[in-house]
Amino acid sequence: MRRMAEGGFVTHTIERDVFSHQDLDGLINPQVIAVVGASATPGGFGQRTMENLRHFTGRVYGVNPRYDAVEGRPCFPSLDELPEVPDCVIVCVAKPLVLRTLEDAARVGARGAVVYASGFSETGSDGGVVDQEAIAELSQRTGLRVAGPNCVGLTNVASGGAMNFMTDAGAVIEGAAGDIAIVSQSGALGYTVLQGVQRGIGFSHYLASGNSADVDVCDFIAYLAEEPTAKVIICLMEGVKSGARFLQAAQRAEAAGKPLIVYKAGNGEKSGLAAMSHTGTLAGTTAAYAAACERAGAVWVDNLESLTEVASFFAKNPGGPIAPGVGIMSTSGGAGVINADKAEYHDLDLSPLDPSTSRALSEVVPAFGRSATQRT
């Protein structure tokens, strides 16, 4: 397969198309959730997951033969004994039990699964790679869409579905609702951005992919492109296995009028090796990814601190894509000059105000201010 001139990633030959909204709806927007490994042990993944789902508007069942109930939800010995088929199965068990649990989930008719356990391809060991390939094979064979392994989970704010083991993730559900969605390979890094809810930033989704044995960041982007509750998409990634699929997903977001804000980690040689040991992802070159974002109409951000600010800026434009021109409003003449410098540096068009706009402003702007009809 051909690579981009910058030595980055594949520009054609899509191994498979990105999954559709319908393909992933059972995973991301389930009505019925089963938590395999539900537990009353404080701080355990099974207990945290059940606690985080306290605001979920659908139905939750624990699966563990040791309990009749966990966190006020009924608990059953096995998936076969549930009173209804779960849309999504959250797998809180240890690695040796993961594949068997996924087989059970597929057999009972579940549409999606989230796998927390680590020790797969991110280890670089032959055994870990083989075990992850077994999950991929199961997903392809059965149609069960899997997030993970080595995944902290997902959050759907609209449904209250905090399907993860993060500490007090339910607080995100209780925060301000919004229309910014986060897609991240790294669970903890994505969660730091999600904590913007403490600053009043509203989110719609938090979707972590982990090792991406089946569903990856490209699929999540494509899903959100079709999801009405998401208007802006943040993507934090270390790399993708198929550049062509990333372009496909990004172009779907652009076609839907949804800004895609991309931040990529693992850009140096040593950080790239760290990315390989973190999520088992080949990082690729920064130039290749930046070029792909430009080609697909995505917004490339080169520092983490800017992500929420850029996303919030685009979220304030409910009418769709931002027009190429910009305007400046400032209480300081000096600040206005600085902004004009920045606009020119980035080739942004500071067009003259329409005469009718200038006349309207002149009626409300005091004498010591100014509304300019041309650059100053």
Side-chain angles (χ1 to χ4, degrees):
M1 294 184 288
R2 181 169 61 85
R3 292 179 179 271
M4 293 184 70
E6 293 88 353
F9 53 71
V10 180
T11 58
H12 71 287
T13 307
I14 301 176
E15 293 82 359
R16 63 166 174 82
D17 285 338
V18 290
F19 291 130
S20 70
H21 190 280
Q22 183 177 359
D23 292 331
L24 297 184
D25 210 38
L27 172 67
I28 299 172
N29 188 34
Q31 303 304 304
V32 182
I33 296 174
V35 180
V36 178
S39 169
T41 303
F45 285 1
Q47 184 273 330
R48 281 188 189 172
T49 301
M50 295 293 283
E51 181 182 33
N52 287 343
L53 287 167
R54 64 186 180 274
H55 298 295
F56 181 55
T57 57
R59 297 175 295 286
V60 178
Y61 300 105
V63 177
N64 191 328
R66 296 174 53 199
Y67 301 97
D68 294 323
V70 175
E71 295 290 329
R73 309 276 194 171
C75 197
F76 296 84
S78 68
L79 286 171
D80 292 292
E81 298 176 66
L82 295 180
E84 57 185 321
V85 175
D87 296 306
C88 181
V89 174
I90 304 177
V91 182
C92 303
V93 300
K95 181 192 171 188
L97 300 175
V98 166
L99 191 61
R100 183 198 310 170
T101 302
L102 292 177
E103 291 280 9
D104 290 343
R107 179 172 46 77
V108 300
R111 298 167 58 198
V114 178
V115 179
Y116 294 157
S118 58
F120 292 87
S121 67
E122 82 280 2
T123 66
S125 67
D126 291 342
V129 171
V130 168
D131 290 341
Q132 182 162 317
E133 287 175 348
I135 294 176
E137 187 279 328
L138 180 148
S139 299
Q140 293 165 8
R141 169 169 48 86
T142 65
L144 179 71
R145 301 280 67 91
V146 176
N150 190 28
C151 173
V152 301
L154 317 174
T155 299
N156 184 330
V157 175
S159 70
M163 300 173 280
N164 57 65
F165 62 82
M166 295 182 290
T167 302
D168 199 26
V172 176
I173 304 298
E174 296 167 355
D179 45 23
I180 298 174
I182 302 171
V183 173
S184 181
Q185 283 173 321
S186 170
L189 184 62
Y191 190 52
T192 63
V193 178
L194 188 63
Q195 288 174 323
V197 72
Q198 297 173 1
R199 295 170 48 209
I201 298 174
F203 296 97
S204 64
H205 297 78
Y206 169 62
L207 308 177
S209 64
N211 287 9
S212 307
D214 179 42
V215 179
D216 64 9
V217 293
C218 305
D219 299 309
F220 283 148
I221 292 170
Y223 174 90
L224 293 166
E226 299 180 60
E227 172 54 40
T229 61
K231 304 298 183 186
V232 178
I233 305 167
I234 289 175
C235 177
L236 299 99
M237 65 178 179
E238 295 161 6
V240 292
K241 296 179 175 67
S242 168
R245 292 181 62 254
F246 174 74
L247 285 172
Q248 184 188 33
Q251 287 163 353
R252 286 195 185 184
E254 183 184 35
K258 297 186 179 183
L260 172 62
I261 321 298
V262 178
Y263 174 80
K264 181 183 176 298
N267 299 315
E269 182 179 353
K270 291 184 178 179
S271 63
L273 292 174
M276 194 67 179
S277 66
H278 179 212
T279 57
T281 302
L282 181 61
T285 68
T286 306
Y289 282 96
C293 285
E294 182 177 0
R295 174 178 167 184
V299 179
W300 177 266
V301 174
D302 57 10
N303 66 83
L304 185 64
E305 294 79 7
S306 298
L307 269 177
T308 53
E309 301 303 325
V310 174
S312 295
F313 171 79
F314 280 102
K316 293 172 183 175
N317 177 53
I322 299 294
V326 297
I328 296 171
M329 182 174 66
S330 173
T331 56
S332 163
V337 172
I338 291 172
N339 279 278
D341 285 340
K342 289 289 185 180
E344 188 167 354
Y345 177 80
H346 291 286
D347 296 322
L348 295 174
D349 180 24
L350 278 174
S351 300
L353 294 177
D354 185 87
S356 63
T357 302
S358 184
R359 285 193 298 272
L361 288 174
S362 67
E363 295 177 4
V364 294
V365 174
F368 56 81
R370 181 184 181 190
S371 60
T373 57
Q374 58 184 14
R375 289 199 207 177
T376 57

